[in-house]
Amino acid sequence: MMWNNDGDDDDDFQIPPSSSQLSLRKPLHPTNGSISQHHHRPPRKKPRLSRYPGKENIAPAPEFTSSPCFSSGSYALGSSSSTPDCSLLDCIPSSVDCSAGDSGEPFCSLAAETEEEHVLVGGKEKGECFKANHEGYSCNSMEARLLLKSRIRLDEEEDESDSESELDVLIKLCSEGRDDSIQCPLCETDISALSEEERQVHTNNCLDTQAPQQGSLRKCEKSSSLIEESVDDPVQLVNDISPVLKWVRSLGLAKYEDVFLREEIDWDTLQSLTEEDLLSIGITSLGPRKKIVNALSTLREEACAASSAEAQAQSLSNSSHVTDRQRERSTYRKASEPKKPTANKLITEFFPGDATKIPKKLPKEPVAEQSCRRAAVRRNGNNGKSKVIPQWNCVPGTPFRVDAFKYLTRDCCHWFLTHFHLDHYQGLTKSFSHGRIYCSLITAKLVNMKIGIPWERLQVLNLGQKVSIAGVDVTCFDANHCPGSIMIRFEPANGKAVLHTGDFRYSEDMLNYLTGSPISSLVLDTTYCNPQYDFPKQEAVIQFVVESIQAEAFNPKTLFLIGSYTIGKERLFLEVARVLREKIYINPAKLKLLECLGFSKEDMQWFTVKEEESHIHVVPLWTLASFKRLKHIANRYTNRYSLIVAFSPTGWTSGKSKKKSPGRRLQQGTIIRYEVPYSEHSSFTELKEFVQKVSPEVIIPSVNIDGPESASAMVSMLLTESV
DNA sequence: GCGATCAGCT
DNA sequence: CACAGCTGATCGC
């Protein structure tokens, strides 16, 4: 299973609870009234917030900024044990009045307080103070409903002595006892030994005979009435849905349990769900939706290949018990030895040379040819551009070049461009006269627009469509890197197919494209070819960003910044726009660029070039790189915004202990920066899986695997795991 | 003067 | 640490 395959991934996830979660307290605990009953706050010590008369025109998004329900500060919640120092009086003026006012004063006097205090004031507490106003959103918002479950979880953690709500009980009932034993939801006796049918008979009997006296049933009845009035047999419902809920929870999506419960989705129905279905039942966030879709496809595969898969899994699990010594030996196996099954192949084994001494410059070749991307050897002649072309820019068995515009030569007239990133098209200028450029439609549009290459020089390759170029069959596929990025399969006359990945992020869909001829050479994007590069799926990171924004968005004077390259990371801010139902500001140049990327009209409506229409701005990534720059931006918007929340989607955020953390949060004064590992390259795990599936004879790395640790790290890869 | 290239920086 | 690309200096035409 692609998601969550290491079981404790989710422990690393620190998705901040959103304000909407807080907002649900009232419907959940109607008798509790104010949250302050949960958290006893000491009296206010000093005033923190200033009042703001008047009204400021900060384009309120429907049901979002207009509603103060997005009020919880995520991190305030996390530290709720330390009693926040804030009172109702503190909160009211800022949240109500600071949505107005061009007075220029910040909504709270940060200078006098620590950063943590600021978060507390600007976060949870203020949100709580406005509880009374938030029903408008919380009752209607799908997000709010989806988050209901996690709110309950949070409550449990905060105060375990709290009596459980009916829903808690039901959820527990549904999920408990599935790991080791299965209990009758009514009499709670262990029925694991019984067959599925017998279990149902048992519970039905319990229902008939004992139910009226059993507290459990009452719980069931109450609980089910929370979900659907017309449930005929609550116990049956629990039995049917329980595995589904457990499965959902195993994906780390416990908060969507109530959706599945509400829709009464049983195990069979689950397997037939499409992404559209998921959307329609209310799983609107891309991240969780994709996660479920992926897991479902795995589920279906497993169901299909039931017996053979089991046998294979058994053999693979056996193989994982080999000793380290055995692994070493297999790693050190000489190239002359017979090729072993792909499933047991190391990435290292695909590289030329002795695996025990992986050369720092790969592949092994004369020193003069070990040119890397940046340090090319200059030579005279040939228009001053002739340099030694790295192997990854060539296609074995063909005269073609890929992303090799830094190495223009007259002996080639077929130039492929995998995607429009500077380090791949560098050297390409409008004076290019070396033949034709083959690329995707999107890349062609960009090359034409940004560099000025005439269309006559551009040959568009349609995805999945085989064309013959100079006697070589060429097919390209989506590389899942940036818009327009492709990986290309070349099938020369010699029968030795070459797959050039360009830059790519592995996706299981890719395997569908590769069913044709076996790949002899794989030119692989090895950017993150090191086990230390293990980051979450994009969906998880998107979800993190969305929830972080929700958590901080209580304040209409908050400016959100999302970093972006020329192209790439579009999905991130597009999804933010979709989920928050708020337009995103981009500058006109960026809009022009986005118009080349083939987004639907529906998607494009989320962008605006009018700054005042949105408080979520897309900015170049480097402007977020330092707090100094961010402060500069803050100064520019002193009147409109008092808080800046920036998201830096870098390829990989450091943190060896938190290997799959979806992000970390840094703060200086009124500026918060999240660094999120939104990667458009494959992680090491993904590379392993991809290589294993493609099973090439030779791998040509596109990025040198440098660094002192690389050799040993690569060798210690050991056996590739079962997939 | 303009485009291309490179080093430095983030 | 790495990506992907900006800025500014310099070079060549």
Side-chain angles (χ1 to χ4, degrees):
Chain A
M1 171 171 319
M2 274 180 69
W3 287 90
N4 246 2
N5 54 2
D6 94 17
D8 56 13
D9 292 353
D10 284 348
D11 296 340
D12 289 332
F13 279 48
Q14 298 169 321
I15 293 176
S18 110
S19 53
S20 49
Q21 296 166 351
L22 266 183
S23 70
L24 281 155
R25 277 182 179 273
K26 193 166 181 183
L28 271 179
H29 305 285
T31 52
N32 277 355
S34 149
I35 295 165
S36 59
Q37 288 178 4
H38 279 275
H39 307 279
H40 305 284
R41 266 171 268 152
R44 180 167 64 107
K45 284 177 190 161
K46 56 180 178 181
R48 293 175 181 282
L49 308 164
S50 41
R51 289 173 178 274
Y52 290 88
K55 231 175 157 79
E56 182 174 288
N57 183 20
I58 301 179
E63 71 175 24
F64 183 40
T65 52
S66 59
S67 160
C69 72
F70 276 101
S71 47
S72 112
S74 46
Y75 295 83
L77 263 180
S79 58
S80 62
S81 54
S82 61
T83 335
D85 180 9
C86 168
S87 78
L88 199 66
L89 285 175
D90 286 324
C91 310
I92 290 169
S94 71
S95 242
V96 170
D97 294 336
C98 80
S99 64
D102 290 325
S103 63
E105 282 179 78
F107 81 92
C108 59
S109 50
L110 281 169
E113 56 185 82
T114 67
E115 289 162 5
E116 189 183 6
E117 281 172 334
H118 169 59
V119 176
L120 288 171
V121 172
K124 172 190 179 185
E125 300 309 312
K126 198 151 51 121
E128 291 171 357
C129 299
F130 287 96
K131 232 174 66 58
N133 290 335
H134 61 225
E135 276 81 5
Y137 178 86
S138 64
C139 297
N140 302 322
S141 154
M142 182 58 76
E143 270 75 40
R145 277 184 281 156
L146 295 180
L147 290 163
L148 179 147
K149 189 64 207 81
S150 53
R151 179 65 250 162
I152 296 169
R153 290 262 165 278
L154 214 75
D155 285 343
E156 284 171 3
E157 283 157 23
E158 280 171 354
D159 188 357
E160 291 185 358
S161 68
D162 272 356
S163 61
E164 294 172 309
S165 74
E166 289 84 352
L167 195 51
D168 291 332
V169 174
L170 180 66
I171 300 289
K172 277 192 173 178
L173 211 59
C174 294
S175 58
E176 266 177 6
R178 281 282 169 173
D179 288 328
D180 300 310
S181 66
I182 296 166
Q183 289 185 341
C184 168
L186 292 156
C187 67
E188 295 178 355
T189 52
D190 189 332
I191 52 170
S192 354
L194 305 182
S195 73
E196 195 62 43
E197 212 175 308
E198 288 167 329
R199 283 174 204 159
Q200 287 190 10
V201 171
H202 174 97
T203 47
N204 282 338
N205 281 342
C206 281
L207 181 68
D208 292 336
T209 59
Q210 311 165 25
Q213 287 79 42
Q214 288 288 333
S216 306
L217 176 65
R218 285 197 296 278
K219 288 172 193 166
C220 279
E221 285 173 342
K222 281 186 190 174
S223 313
S224 58
S225 71
L226 283 175
I227 311 151
E228 193 67 61
E229 294 293 332
S230 60
V231 174
D232 294 322
D233 184 349
V235 176
Q236 186 63 45
L237 172 71
V238 169
N239 281 339
D240 289 347
I241 301 180
S242 169
V244 176
L245 297 180
K246 186 170 178 266
W247 180 81
V248 170
R249 192 179 293 186
S250 77
L251 296 176
L253 297 172
K255 68 176 165 193
Y256 292 112
E257 283 175 349
D258 66 312
V259 175
F260 287 83
L261 211 47
R262 185 188 62 220
E263 300 294 332
E264 295 177 35
I265 292 164
D266 60 22
W267 191 250
D268 287 341
T269 314
L270 174 76
Q271 306 207 23
S272 62
L273 290 181
T274 64
E275 186 171 355
E276 220 166 31
D277 295 333
L278 293 170
L279 190 64
S280 70
I281 64 172
I283 302 175
T284 51
S285 298
L286 179 69
R289 205 166 62 235
K290 288 287 181 194
K291 193 171 186 175
I292 294 169
V293 168
N294 282 337
L296 280 176
S297 78
T298 310
L299 214 57
R300 287 182 204 116
E301 276 174 26
E302 282 170 1
C304 286
S307 58
S308 61
E310 258 175 50
Q312 204 179 348
Q314 186 59 42
S315 85
L316 284 166
S317 88
N318 288 343
S319 72
S320 71
H321 289 100
V322 296
T323 64
D324 287 356
R325 176 62 68 188
Q326 283 171 313
R327 286 169 178 163
E328 269 174 45
R329 232 179 279 137
S330 90
T331 306
Y332 298 166
R333 196 201 322 261
K334 285 174 190 164
S336 57
E337 286 184 35
K339 197 177 161 186
K340 63 176 178 173
T342 313
N344 289 339
K345 211 164 183 173
L346 309 186
I347 279 190
T348 50
E349 290 181 57
F350 290 102
F351 292 98
D354 188 340
T356 60
K357 293 178 184 173
I358 296 166
K360 283 192 176 182
K361 305 284 183 187
L362 290 170
K364 212 169 182 178
E365 56 187 354
V367 176
E369 291 183 17
Q370 294 177 0
S371 47
C372 67
R373 282 182 176 186
R374 287 177 182 267
V377 185
R378 247 180 187 283
R379 273 203 221 139
N380 290 328
N382 215 349
N383 214 13
K385 284 187 179 178
S386 176
K387 302 155 195 174
V388 176
I389 302 174
Q391 203 178 341
W392 74 271
N393 294 116
C394 304
V395 182
T398 77
F400 303 160
R401 301 278 185 271
V402 180
D403 298 342
F405 301 98
K406 275 188 289 190
Y407 314 98
L408 291 174
T409 53
R410 293 286 170 195
D411 59 353
C412 171
C413 55
H414 304 285
W415 301 83
F416 291 79
L417 177 58
T418 59
H419 64 287
F420 194 71
H421 273 165
L422 186 67
D423 52 337
H424 288 255
Y425 68 75
Q426 210 161 41
L428 182 58
T429 64
K430 66 178 171 201
S431 58
F432 174 83
S433 60
H434 295 69
R436 293 210 119 184
I437 299 169
Y438 302 86
C439 58
S440 69
L441 177 62
I442 289 173
T443 305
K445 283 182 185 172
L446 294 168
V447 164
N448 173 256
M449 184 181 84
K450 302 289 273 189
I451 303 179
I453 303 286
W455 279 100
E456 303 87 78
R457 293 226 169 264
L458 293 165
Q459 175 77 53
V460 170
L461 299 172
N462 294 319
L463 295 181
Q465 193 179 314
K466 191 180 277 191
V467 290
S468 180
I469 300 169
V472 178
D473 281 343
V474 177
T475 323
C476 67
F477 314 100
D478 184 4
N480 191 32
H481 177 63
C482 63
S485 63
I486 50 171
M487 48 172 70
I488 312 168
R489 181 174 60 204
F490 301 92
E491 295 168 278
N494 66 11
K496 294 196 166 184
V498 179
L499 179 64
H500 199 300
T501 66
D503 281 356
F504 84 112
R505 175 106 197 224
Y506 173 73
S507 121
E508 279 183 344
D509 300 342
M510 288 168 182
L511 304 175
N512 301 328
Y513 311 141
L514 301 170
T515 49
S517 50
I519 302 298
S520 172
S521 299
L522 177 65
V523 184
L524 184 67
D525 167 23
T526 45
T527 302
Y528 290 122
C529 189
N530 187 310
Q532 71 173 296
Y533 300 130
D534 195 8
F535 31 74
K537 296 286 176 193
Q538 289 175 349
E539 289 79 3
V541 180
I542 289 175
Q543 184 66 10
F544 174 83
V545 171
V546 165
E547 296 194 14
S548 300
I549 289 183
Q550 286 179 330
E552 310 274 6
F554 62 90
N555 175 13
K557 294 195 82 173
T558 302
L559 172 65
F560 294 97
L561 301 174
I562 301 177
S564 162
Y565 294 126
T566 306
I567 58 167
K569 328 260 180 186
E570 287 76 14
R571 276 180 58 206
L572 181 62
F573 50 81
L574 197 54
E575 192 59 21
V576 167
R578 255 192 230 124
V579 171
L580 302 183
R581 308 200 63 73
E582 167 154 0
K583 286 192 175 189
I584 297 219
Y585 165 76
I586 52 172
N587 66 36
K590 181 88 179 171
L591 179 66
K592 208 176 158 202
L593 204 136
L594 288 176
E595 280 164 353
C596 295
L597 304 186
F599 285 117
S600 66
K601 224 176 175 181
E602 198 191 345
D603 285 341
M604 290 303 291
Q605 65 159 353
W606 292 113
F607 301 121
T608 176
V609 288
K610 293 175 189 162
E611 216 182 19
E612 67 280 5
E613 279 189 5
S614 170
H615 68 290
I616 307 173
H617 294 186
V618 169
V619 294
L621 200 52
W622 56 93
T623 62
L624 309 181
S626 70
F627 275 101
K628 198 177 154 192
R629 287 168 192 263
L630 284 169
K631 277 172 190 158
H632 188 75
I633 296 176
N635 291 337
R636 214 170 76 209
Y637 290 115
T638 316
N639 291 341
R640 275 187 65 194
Y641 299 112
S642 56
L643 179 68
I644 291 195
V645 180
F647 293 89
S648 249
T650 56
W652 178 68
T653 49
S654 63
K656 283 168 186 171
S657 55
K658 290 256 172 196
K659 61 171 190 171
K660 279 200 177 180
S661 163
R664 63 174 178 155
R665 181 184 192 267
L666 308 165
Q667 181 168 5
Q668 272 186 25
T670 50
I671 299 168
I672 299 167
R673 190 175 83 210
Y674 288 92
E675 290 178 354
V676 291
Y678 186 88
S679 174
E680 294 189 324
H681 293 273
S682 305
S683 69
F684 181 76
T685 314
E686 291 165 342
L687 281 177
K688 262 204 307 192
E689 184 166 337
F690 182 73
V691 166
Q692 190 185 321
K693 294 275 165 70
V694 174
S695 186
E697 288 166 23
V698 179
I699 288 182
I700 299 163
S702 68
V703 178
N704 292 305
I705 303 155
D706 269 334
E709 286 174 282
S710 70
S712 58
M714 294 291 283
V715 171
S716 67
M717 286 310 95
L718 309 175
L719 296 168
T720 51
E721 289 134 27
S722 64
V723 180

